[in-house]
Amino acid sequence: SLFGVRSAIRRARDSVLSRERTDKDLKDGIAFFYDRSSKLWEDVWGEHMHHGYYVPEDRTDHVQAQIDLIDEVLKWAGANDGPPPKKVVDVGCGIGGSSRHIVGKYEGSTAQGITLSPYQANRGNELAKEQGLTDRASFQVADALNMPFEDSTFDLVWSLESGEHMPDKSKFVHELMRVAAPGGRLIIVTWCHRDMELGEPCLTKKEDKLLAKINRAYYLPRWCSVDDYVKLLEKEGAVDIKREDWSYIIAPFWKAVIKSSLNLNSVVGLLKSGFSTIRGAYAMLLMLKGFNSGLIKFGLITCTKKAE
């Protein structure tokens, strides 16, 4: 139809110009992108849809590096100090790799994961069943900015590489704090842009242009800094806030992903997955450029909700 042609032309024009998407376009696009790309990722990389922990930096056991990232983040955040978490929420859970690993690590714990992608939620539940974890890990389609959970429910609120997808960071942080139990721990691991220097009002035009291209490929809104997250958490009354930059620890992962995408099976998988997945693969080079220039940071933030 004529409308369909116009719509396609508009999308192509917006893509070339790296225009920002509306919140609705972002939500629909994220679900579509991960519905299409998650199977390919799992076929090549397994159930963990996030960076790996590269210490030493030349390690080649990439799947174990992804598992180690979960363990090292938990250790860094102090989740292993004191009583283990009992109720976990995995915000932006992918196909549930983190949730299943965490309940396997902490005896008696349960996890609920949310994602915008129906494919990911279904696959997460399938894998939980295969691994005998149906009664301990479950996954559903839900919006992280309006979570279907009661206040003060979880003693561990876990968000691994999902914050970058949130168009309203203030609302995102508010929701994380809302569902956390008093004394509960929040862990946010997310891509951020660099902190601003003193007296620097904003990023450079060149930096903004690079991020805009990445945003189009990965259905991301505007970025923020780790410093911005800290300020939002302080505003929500969070205590014991701690932050760290692990960019150097995960940087080798992008090279490994780019290398893996060049083998025949991956190329065939990309072609089958469609344009949005192919564009996502190209954007890995842009991510690597951002990491190397110091623009893109892999930020870790943890804090606790004040005990009543």
Side-chain angles (χ1 to χ4, degrees):
S1 70
L2 186 60
F3 175 77
V5 171
R6 282 178 178 163
S7 179
I9 291 170
R10 178 181 60 79
R11 287 199 306 273
R13 183 189 65 226
D14 289 349
S15 188
V16 168
L17 297 174
S18 303
R19 283 186 175 156
E20 280 187 55
R21 291 182 170 90
T22 65
D23 287 2
K24 185 183 183 305
D25 284 348
L26 284 171
K27 274 182 73 172
D28 293 346
I30 291 163
F32 177 77
F33 177 74
Y34 284 111
D35 278 350
R36 296 299 297 268
S37 64
S38 293
K39 185 180 185 308
L40 174 61
W41 181 276
E42 186 184 357
D43 288 345
V44 178
W45 286 91
E47 62 183 311
H48 296 285
M49 304 186 70
H50 55 80
H51 289 77
Y53 182 82
Y54 284 86
V55 177
E57 66 179 52
D58 60 350
R59 68 186 295 184
T60 55
D61 53 339
H62 303 302
V63 173
Q64 187 59 47
Q66 290 175 294
I67 295 166
D68 287 352
L69 182 81
I70 300 169
D71 287 332
E72 293 295 333
V73 167
L74 289 165
K75 182 178 162 187
W76 171 83
N80 301 337
D81 308 338
K86 291 293 183 190
K87 295 188 75 174
V88 181
V89 63
D90 186 350
V91 183
C93 60
I95 57 173
S98 291
S99 292
R100 290 186 299 275
H101 182 74
I102 288 170
V103 298
K105 183 182 179 76
Y106 299 118
E107 193 178 342
S109 62
T110 59
Q112 294 187 63
I114 62 168
T115 171
L116 288 173
S117 162
Y119 175 88
Q120 288 188 336
N122 290 335
R123 184 64 184 139
N125 287 319
E126 281 177 8
L127 288 168
K129 189 176 180 181
E130 284 173 24
Q131 296 169 20
L133 294 170
T134 308
D135 59 335
R136 297 186 59 202
S138 63
F139 307 95
Q140 63 180 298
V141 174
D143 185 353
L145 300 185
N146 186 22
M147 287 192 260
F149 305 121
E150 298 293 322
D151 295 1
S152 305
T153 299
F154 302 98
D155 54 1
L156 177 58
V157 177
W158 172 267
S159 169
L160 177 57
E161 294 183 44
S162 63
E164 53 272 10
H165 282 297
M166 307 302 164
D168 187 336
K169 300 294 192 289
S170 177
K171 195 171 181 186
F172 174 53
V173 168
H174 175 78
E175 275 293 275
L176 296 180
M177 289 290 287
R178 180 184 69 78
V179 301
R185 179 174 300 283
L186 276 70
I187 300 175
I188 306 169
V189 181
T190 184
W191 311 342
C192 291
H193 66 59
R194 63 179 178 81
D195 288 342
M196 297 292 104
E197 300 289 338
L198 194 64
E200 187 182 27
C202 57
L203 296 173
T204 66
K205 281 186 180 176
K206 191 176 176 183
E207 288 173 327
D208 273 333
K209 195 173 178 182
L210 178 62
L211 292 182
K213 286 180 182 175
I214 293 168
N215 291 352
R216 288 297 303 184
Y218 289 135
Y219 295 89
L220 302 177
R222 289 187 72 82
W223 294 48
C224 72
S225 66
V226 173
D227 199 40
D228 292 330
Y229 269 111
V230 169
K231 286 171 181 166
L232 288 171
L233 287 164
E234 286 173 343
K235 191 177 169 187
E236 290 288 339
V239 294
D240 304 322
I241 300 172
K242 184 167 85 158
R243 58 173 286 177
E244 202 158 311
D245 175 12
W246 277 19
S247 303
Y248 67 99
I249 285 174
I250 58 88
F253 183 71
W254 282 105
K255 293 171 188 171
V257 172
I258 291 164
K259 191 176 176 184
S260 80
S261 71
L262 299 177
N263 73 46
L264 183 60
N265 287 342
S266 296
V267 170
V268 171
L270 276 174
L271 294 174
K272 283 182 181 175
S273 297
F275 173 70
S276 66
T277 307
I278 293 167
R279 182 173 58 188
Y282 157 70
M284 291 178 207
L285 297 169
L286 301 178
M287 287 292 296
L288 191 59
K289 185 178 179 183
F291 273 128
N292 289 339
S293 69
L295 167 62
I296 293 175
K297 300 294 184 183
F298 192 73
L300 275 64
I301 309 121
T302 188
C303 64
T304 53
K305 184 171 177 175
K306 198 177 289 183
E308 288 176 345

